[in-house]
Each structure stands twice: as structure tokens, then as C-alpha cells.
Amino acid sequence: MTGRVARVAVDVALAHLDRLFDYEVPDKLADAAVVGARVKVPFSGQMRDGWIVELTDSSELASLAKLAKVVSPEPLATPEVYGLIRAVADHYAGVWSDVARLAIPPRHAATEKSPQREWPEPKKLERATVLPSYPAGDSLLEALAEGRSPRLLWQAAAVHGGPGDLLGGVIEAVDATLRSGRSAVVVLPTVRELTPAVARFRAVFGHGAVGSLASEAGRSARYRAYLAAARGQARILLGTRSAVFAPVHDLGLVVIVDDGHDGHEELRAPYPHARAVAILRSSRQQAALMLAGHSRSIDAQALLQRGWLGELALSPAEARRVVAPVRAVGEVEREHDPSAARLRIPSMAFRFLREHLPQGPVLVQVPMTGHSASLACQRCGNRALCAKCSGPMRARRRDVPECSLCGFKPTRWSCPHCHTSQLRTPLAGAARTAEELARAFPGVLAVNSSARNIRDEIPDEPAIVVATPGAEPAAPSGYAGVLILDTEVTLSRVSLRAAEEAMRRWSNAAAMARRPVDGGSVLLVGSATHPAVQALLRADVAGFAARELADRADAGLTPAVKMARIVGDPDAVREFLDNDPWEGIDILGPTEVTTDRWAALLRTPVDRARELARSVKSAAAIRSARKERGKLSIHVDPGSLEDR
């Protein structure tokens, strides 16, 4: 057929239909039907959303259905955007439409039609001070300013201000990129980190020159920021994980802040990670890439060892000169201090608080929220279970036990073993820790920043700030001391990434401590012999990451290998595995993980990653075409091997 033909990506989440479809463009829609436009098309007896990806003069088909409607002539799904979404879908063995829903925000017609404000030219940074304090930091800024595209892992020193100013270093990299006439995208894990980052960027580059892209801002604000990027108005865009797709013009730099944070991983299929999307985009668009954080993920370490990423970091010896000194103490000799005996911390930790409080606020990081994480019988020590569903009992508030599964709150709990009603808390949460420390230090302000009571900032005055990881409030001049409790709990999480996550949490907490010259220090309560604790004591995060990666290579785990996890109904998993010969791919399982829920692992060397993704996609397409029944979840490059 000849004439005006639109090749459309139809919003159909079926693997065997994950391709473009040809439609005839009626004369009345010819002007509005542009590449990238959002349209409505007839598909399998229904009207479906779609995007025009290409316009041609002919089709191999003899007759074509016609475009029903151009919903919006705004060219959002440009070839560049379509190509990136296609690459991400192929990388994760997913379908284009699923990724497109994550990448392109829902349309807000009123915002699209209303006049948009003018975006001023970003102001220039007077002088860079953070990155130049690192080896090759000046060379990095020079390369960005000259229009080159370096790819690097920047491990910022774990200290407040100076070389540990993470946002300050990112601002310097963005400023250098802008000087080359290009744009920059900065991706942060959650809105809590995004909000202060946007405020600081706007203070440097000008309020109107920085855009923010996050779903929490509301549908209109999110779509407005996306339009500004697509129209070439926004040159600096900050946001959460979906912002990595932001279609800014002349992209020069993508920054992923704290790439090990689980907030960067999408919870909807095909579960793309912002780091992986940034890597694909950097390669496709020849843009610079920076993975910035106070720690480093094992995935970033793997890229570093393969030579794909460069490194910008201080050596352990240099880092120890600028970061607050770190010590570790075990749970011993509590009885030597009568005051400390009432607490669940050793006497050295008690003295640590007493010595640092006169200098300013002290941060106490605990791994869990609430009054206690679990409850046990005071007399026999058996775990306290719910009388209704046998779920574990916990206490969000003092003396109010409740079931963590069904929420049942008994008037009087009774132990089925010894029939006593007295409960104890083997492990206290943030709320109880704050209560205990408030009683131990009368007259000192005790703040609980966790769960729904998260504080953003505290004043520079003596205070005990108890916080869970990620909920630590900022202190303008940094914390006089940082006390990290219950390290064994963090390290014993049911996760293959427990040690990596512990290092990330502790490094972020240590980065809030003042410099050594200002009296800052860090104390960990727990076993000092664990490799993660030892690495923090020596400021050798790189060595720890290298050892973790080597251990994973020996065990055949990601990121040392390419892996896909198939989880679902037993028959669905078995039928899926029968849909491909899986040549050169190891199959582990399937095995039962929970009742009526089975899992299988597909594993191959990294250099055969594309073959694994293609095989998984082919098996999914066969499953879709055959209409095989049962629930099934496919996760390529899973962050963990535990059930969600």
C-alpha cells in the first residue's frame, strides 16, 4: 500500500505483540499526526493508546486500519525516546509499552495547552572546591567543560562538608557540563533526598533554571517539567528514578546519586533500575555518566573492574585524614557503668554520648522503627505469637503489643508455654531507644526521626537524634558524633546484599559527622571483626566492594553473572522453561519458595547477557501467544533473590 503510513507502538502488554503496527493516516489527521504524537488506534476490536514512531510512504500490507484520533500532537515519543525505551525493554526482556508507562508521564491536557514560562539561562558557579580535592578531579571538570563524556564512579568521602559534600560535587560536574552547551539530568533515590537537592541547585543556578520531575509533585507539575525537557527549555533536571528517561536536549551528563539505594529500582515490570537505564542512555547518546555516593554498589564495582567506569576516590590513607575517626565496640562490660546498665548500649557508647553532647547534636542510628521490632516472653524467652493468627507480636508504642500480620491487639497477652503475661523486647526500635536515652540524659533534647515522624533538619544545639537509616535529619554544621547501634541486626538481614546495604547505610550516617578538626567521630556498637565493620574502620570501601564481588563471582551471583529469576505458579514456571532450549544457560530449579509459589534461576556469563535476555523474551512471547495460564513474574538482573 502506498500513501501516508504511520508506524505505531501500540499500548499492548503482550510479549508476542511487542512490535510496531502500520496504520493509514486519514487526510483530516495528516497535519497533527507527527512522529512522537500520542494517538488512538483500533486494535483487536478495541481502541488502544499508541505512539507514532515513524511516518513512511508505503506498507507491505495490502490494506491498513486507519488512525482513529490524534490525542496530542506534542512529539514526546521521538526516535531518541523510543530507542531508549526499546533498549531498556530488551535489556530486561520486557515489552515496550510497560517501560513507556514508566518513562512518559500521563498527559495533562490543560498543562499542555497553557502557555509555559520562560526558562532563564542557568547561572555559572564561581569556583569548584569539592571535586578538585580528589585526584583527577580537575581533569574531570575540564573534560566535561570541553564537551567530552567521561564515565566514572565518584566515591565521596564520608564526612560532612569539604570533600564529603556530595551535592556540592554533583553541582560542580553539572556546571562544567553546562559550560559545554549541554544539559544534565540528576537522579536521586527518593523525594526526601530530592527536595533539599532541588533547593540547593536552585540557589546556585537560579530558581527558574532547575526543573524537578517526580510523581509526588502531582500530575500537572510532573507533566509540565517533562514538557519543558522535551521542548528543550530545561537544561538542568532533577528527579526520582523515572527522571532518568527525561528527554532533555543535548544531554551531556547523567548523575545517579547513591545508586545502591533500593529506591532506584522500579517495583513494576520489567523492574528497570535507574543505574542500568543511565548506562544504556549514556552509551546511546554519548553522554557522560557519574555514579556518586559515599559508598559504592557492587554493581558499580563490577563496571569499574571491567574497565567500563573510571574511578574518582581518595585512597584509604587519604580518606582517614579527612573523615571522622571510626571506632567499634562490642556489647560488653555494661555493668561497669551504673547509668549505662539501664540501657542496651555498652559503657563506651554511653561515654561517647556524654563526651560529644556538649559540642552539639549526636546522631544515633538504629536499624528499625517503632518501640520494638519483636516481643518475647519475659519468663521463658519464647517468641511472643498472636493468639489469632500465630504471627509475631510487636510494639509500635510502649506497652501496646499488636500482631505484625493481622494487627490484633490483645487486652492481655498470655504465653502458651509458661502462662505468664509479662513481655520483654529483645531488640528495641527507634521510639524506645529515644525514650531510654531521654531518661538516661535528663534535660537533653531527645528526637525520634523515623516512620511517620521524620525530621528534615535539627538546630546546632546539644540533642540526641535517634533515626532509622534514610531518616536522619540534616544538621547545619554536621553532627558532633554519630553512634551506630545494633550492627549485627543490619548485617543479619535476610538478603544476599545485607553487607553491601550495611556499608551503604553506615557510610551515609558517617558522612553526617563533622571533620576530625571539628571534633567529629563515629562509634559502631557490634562485632568489630566483620569485614564490613573493618572496612569502615579502615575507610576502605573499595576493598570491601572488591571482596564482595569476588565472593559473588565464586558463588555465581549477580553482578558477576547475568541472571533472570522466574517466579510463579508451579505449572506456569515449568511451561515457561519448556518454551526455549536455553543453550549455554544454566537452569537452577525450579524449587518451591512458598506455598504454591515456585522459582527458577537462569544464569549465564556476563558476555552472553544479550543471549539470555533474548531467550527469556522469546519464551515469554511463546507463553503469551499460547495463552499459557497461571501467574508468572520475570525479573532480569534481580537486585535480590528473596520474594518481594
Side-chain angles (χ1 to χ4, degrees):
M1 176 178 178
T2 60
R4 193 171 177 86
V5 176
R7 307 203 70 201
V8 178
V10 183
D11 187 4
V12 178
L14 296 174
H16 71 290
L17 298 177
D18 187 25
R19 57 186 176 86
L20 300 181
F21 293 87
D22 291 353
Y23 286 87
E24 180 184 349
V25 180
D27 292 340
K28 63 179 181 179
L29 299 179
D31 293 337
V34 298
V35 172
R38 196 188 306 248
V39 296
K40 288 279 189 181
V41 295
F43 190 90
S44 188
Q46 297 180 347
M47 297 304 298
R48 296 274 190 174
D49 293 324
W51 300 88
I52 297 179
V53 174
E54 184 182 349
L55 291 172
T56 66
D57 293 328
S58 63
S59 173
E60 296 179 354
L61 301 177
S63 62
L64 298 177
K66 295 183 179 182
L67 288 182
K69 179 182 180 181
V70 175
V71 177
S72 169
E74 191 75 35
L76 296 184
T78 60
E80 191 174 83
V81 172
Y82 171 80
L84 175 62
I85 295 174
R86 178 75 273 164
V88 173
D90 291 343
H91 178 84
Y92 285 97
V95 297
W96 189 91
S97 59
D98 281 345
V99 180
R101 280 194 287 270
L102 305 175
I104 305 175
R107 181 177 183 245
H108 193 271
T111 300
E112 183 177 288
K113 296 175 182 178
S114 63
Q116 302 298 307
R117 68 174 178 85
E118 293 293 327
W119 286 67
E121 189 70 16
K123 299 176 183 178
K124 293 183 178 180
L125 189 67
E126 293 183 3
R127 185 168 62 94
T129 59
V130 179
L131 293 180
S133 62
Y134 289 80
D138 286 319
S139 299
L140 167 65
L141 296 176
E142 181 180 338
L144 292 172
E146 291 176 353
R148 287 179 277 161
S149 302
R151 302 187 297 254
L152 74 147
L153 162 66
W154 175 40
Q155 184 190 316
V159 67
H160 178 80
D165 186 1
L166 187 62
L167 278 182
V170 173
I171 287 173
E172 293 172 3
V174 170
D175 175 73
T177 303
L178 296 176
R179 292 174 187 268
S180 69
R182 299 177 294 171
S183 304
V185 173
V186 180
V187 184
L188 297 106
T190 69
V191 172
R192 187 166 189 272
E193 290 86 10
L194 175 64
T195 302
V198 169
R200 186 166 176 184
F201 267 70
R202 287 175 174 170
V204 173
F205 296 108
H207 187 275
V210 179
S212 176
L213 186 61
S215 58
E216 288 82 358
R219 187 170 175 176
S220 175
R222 182 187 179 194
Y223 194 63
R224 185 179 297 109
Y226 192 88
L227 284 178
R231 293 171 179 175
Q233 296 172 309
R235 295 185 60 198
I236 308 173
L237 198 64
L238 280 69
T240 49
R241 55 179 176 262
S242 64
V244 72
F245 292 96
V248 295
H249 291 198
D250 300 318
L251 178 67
L253 174 66
V254 181
V255 182
I256 307 295
V257 177
D258 197 6
D259 71 289
H261 195 294
D262 57 11
H264 285 300
E265 184 177 14
E266 179 58 54
L267 299 180
R268 292 170 290 178
Y271 316 110
H273 195 287
R275 177 184 53 243
V277 179
I279 290 170
L280 290 170
R281 189 172 186 185
S282 170
S283 300
R284 292 178 59 84
Q285 299 182 225
Q286 300 301 307
L289 173 67
M290 174 186 280
L291 304 181
H294 293 294
S295 183
R296 62 176 69 187
S297 67
I298 309 303
D299 302 83
Q301 181 67 24
L303 294 171
L304 183 67
Q305 292 185 193
R306 291 174 199 155
W308 198 86
L309 282 180
E311 183 177 16
L312 188 66
L314 299 176
S315 68
E318 293 170 331
R320 286 194 294 270
R321 286 196 291 267
V322 299
V323 303
V326 181
R327 294 174 293 163
V329 59
E331 296 268 2
V332 295
E333 299 183 356
R334 231 177 258 188
E335 66 278 2
H336 296 304
D337 192 319
S339 299
R342 298 193 301 270
L343 303 175
R344 61 188 181 94
I345 62 176
S347 57
M348 183 181 288
F350 189 85
R351 290 196 299 271
F352 179 87
L353 290 168
R354 192 165 49 198
E355 291 169 1
H356 287 80
L357 278 172
Q359 281 74 50
V362 177
L363 174 64
V364 180
Q365 187 191 75
V366 295
M368 291 162 297
T369 63
H371 196 265
S372 69
S374 62
L375 295 172
C377 176
Q378 178 70 45
R379 178 183 295 174
C380 67
N382 282 304
R383 194 177 186 185
L385 299 178
C386 175
K388 282 193 171 183
C389 71
S390 298
M393 300 296 290
R394 65 181 177 188
R396 291 181 182 271
R397 296 182 300 275
R398 186 176 183 180
D399 298 329
V400 184
E402 67 176 42
C403 177
S404 60
L405 294 182
C406 68
F408 174 64
K409 298 179 181 179
T411 304
R412 182 178 181 274
W413 180 85
S414 178
C415 177
H417 302 282
C418 64
H419 306 291
T420 186
S421 61
Q422 299 298 315
L423 291 166
R424 65 181 177 89
T425 56
L427 188 62
R432 181 178 175 180
T433 302
E435 291 178 7
E436 289 180 343
L437 293 176
R439 290 195 298 269
F441 293 89
V444 177
L445 175 65
V447 178
N448 172 24
S449 180
S450 64
R452 299 179 181 178
N453 302 313
I454 295 178
R455 304 286 190 94
D456 293 328
E457 189 173 293
I458 60 165
D460 276 330
E461 60 183 40
I464 298 174
V465 181
V466 181
T468 48
E472 301 92 344
S477 300
Y479 284 94
V482 173
L483 174 62
I484 301 175
L485 297 178
D486 304 320
T487 59
E488 290 96 341
V489 176
T490 305
L491 291 168
S492 61
R493 292 171 62 243
V494 185
S495 171
L496 293 174
R497 293 182 176 260
E500 176 188 353
E501 177 64 11
M503 178 61 70
R504 190 190 70 82
R505 293 180 177 186
W506 300 341
S507 296
N508 288 345
M512 307 185 83
R514 295 172 184 172
R515 298 175 300 171
V517 295
D518 297 325
S521 65
V522 179
L523 181 65
L524 285 82
V525 176
S527 173
T529 59
H530 193 281
V533 177
Q534 282 294 310
L536 198 67
L537 295 177
R538 300 192 308 269
D540 187 18
V541 179
F544 168 78
R547 286 190 297 273
E548 280 284 298
L549 181 60
D551 289 343
R552 293 187 189 183
D554 292 339
L557 298 174
T558 55
V561 298
K562 182 75 172 182
M563 186 178 287
R565 187 170 188 251
I566 316 300
V567 184
D569 297 338
D571 291 340
V573 173
R574 283 191 288 266
E575 288 175 351
F576 178 87
L577 295 177
D578 289 338
N579 289 342
D580 194 271
W582 308 108
E583 295 181 2
I585 297 172
D586 293 333
I587 302 177
L588 306 179
T591 57
E592 186 176 7
V593 290
T594 60
T595 304
D596 296 329
R597 187 175 174 86
W598 287 60
L601 294 178
L602 307 176
R603 186 173 62 184
T604 191
V606 174
D607 57 5
R608 290 181 52 85
R610 292 183 179 179
E611 287 82 351
L612 175 62
R614 281 196 290 264
S615 294
V616 173
K617 181 66 178 288
S618 173
I622 293 173
R623 167 181 163 80
S624 174
R626 291 177 177 173
K627 298 182 180 179
E628 295 176 356
R629 297 183 178 181
K631 296 180 180 179
L632 193 75
S633 172
I634 301 172
H635 195 169
V636 175
D637 291 340
S640 67
L641 300 182
E642 294 76 37
D643 269 354
R644 293 172 175 273

